[in-house]
Amino acid sequence: MKRGEKTVRNCSCALAVLLTVLVTTAFAGETAPEPADYRTENYRAPVPATLKGAKVVTTDETIALWKDKSAVFVDVLPHDPKPANLPAGTIWREKVREDIPGSIWLANVGYGIINKETEAYFRKGLKSRLGDDTKRKVLFYCMANCWMSWNAAKRAVEWGYKSVLWYPLGTDGWTAAKQPTQKNEPF
C-alpha cells in the first residue's frame, strides 16, 4: 500500500468514527424526566431515559433481538390516511414508512389518550403477534425523540405484558446503524 492510499484510508476511518459519534450524540441528547402518566402533547420532544416496568434497549440490543427473532417488533408511528372528502383531482401522496423488517405497524396507538376503537385495534394487533402470551418479549419503537413509543410501551405494561422493551431511538437509530428496512403498511 502506498503512503497516499494509507492516508486516505485512515481519513475515511476517522471520518466514519466521527460520524458515528455525532449521530449517537445527536440521538442521545437531552432527556426528559419520566412522567407518572402518558404524554398528551408535543410528541416529538426529548424522551425519558427510563420507563417503569419496561426495559430500555440500545441499538445494539435491538439488532441482536431482531437477528435472533426473540421479540415481536411494534412500530407505533402515526399514519395519516387519505382524507375521504378530498376534492376530485387532488393528488394524494401516501407517505412511505420504512420499518425494521418483520415489524407490525400499529399506527396511532401511541397517543396519550386513545379512544375505545384505537384501544381495541391496539389490543387486536398485539394479540395477532403474541396470542395470549404476556411473557413474550415485545419491543415498541417509533423515531428518535418520539413519545408515541414511550406511551405505547407504558400502556402495554399497564395491560399486564411482562417483557416490554422500549427502543427510544426507533428507526432513526436503526438506520444510522446501517440496518435494513422494509416498506410497511398499518395493520
Side-chain angles (χ1 to χ4, degrees):
M1 180 184 307
K2 295 179 183 173
R3 184 176 177 178
E5 291 173 354
K6 189 174 182 180
T7 302
V8 170
R9 185 179 303 228
N10 288 342
C11 287
S12 295
C13 289
L15 185 59
V17 169
L18 178 62
L19 183 59
T20 300
V21 169
L22 290 174
V23 168
T24 303
T25 304
F27 289 144
E30 66 179 280
T31 61
E34 182 172 343
D37 210 353
Y38 298 103
R39 176 76 170 234
T40 58
E41 61 186 16
N42 195 17
Y43 294 103
R44 289 304 308 271
V47 295
T50 59
L51 175 52
K52 186 177 179 182
K55 179 182 179 194
V56 180
V57 293
T58 65
T59 298
D60 288 340
E61 291 170 313
T62 301
I63 292 167
L65 290 161
W66 178 75
K67 284 184 176 180
D68 67 18
K69 297 178 177 22
S70 60
V72 170
F73 282 63
V74 181
D75 179 10
V76 299
L77 183 76
H79 177 257
D80 295 320
K82 181 178 179 179
N85 59 348
L86 208 60
T90 303
I91 297 173
W92 174 261
R93 290 206 169 93
E94 191 72 31
K95 291 180 185 173
V96 175
R97 178 62 173 157
E98 291 290 329
D99 257 337
I100 296 172
S103 298
I104 183 171
W105 182 9
L106 298 179
N108 306 322
V109 301
Y111 287 103
I113 299 169
I114 58 174
N115 60 31
K116 289 180 182 184
E117 292 80 14
T118 303
E119 180 181 334
Y121 162 75
F122 190 4
R123 289 181 185 269
K124 181 180 178 182
L126 291 177
K127 189 172 181 78
S128 76
R129 295 292 177 97
L130 298 165
D132 293 322
D133 186 358
T134 58
K135 294 180 183 174
R136 187 165 174 203
K137 290 178 186 171
V138 57
L139 184 146
F140 292 91
Y141 71 94
C142 182
M143 300 169 72
N145 288 323
C146 178
W147 281 84
M148 295 287 180
S149 57
W150 189 91
N151 282 343
K154 178 177 178 60
R155 194 163 274 122
V157 168
E158 290 179 355
W159 288 346
Y161 289 89
K162 307 292 184 221
S163 298
V164 175
L165 308 171
W166 174 48
Y167 179 41
L169 296 181
T171 51
D172 293 324
W174 184 262
T175 57
K178 308 251 185 275
Q179 295 303 302
T181 60
Q182 72 179 30
K183 184 179 174 187
N184 205 353
E185 301 285 330
F187 173 76

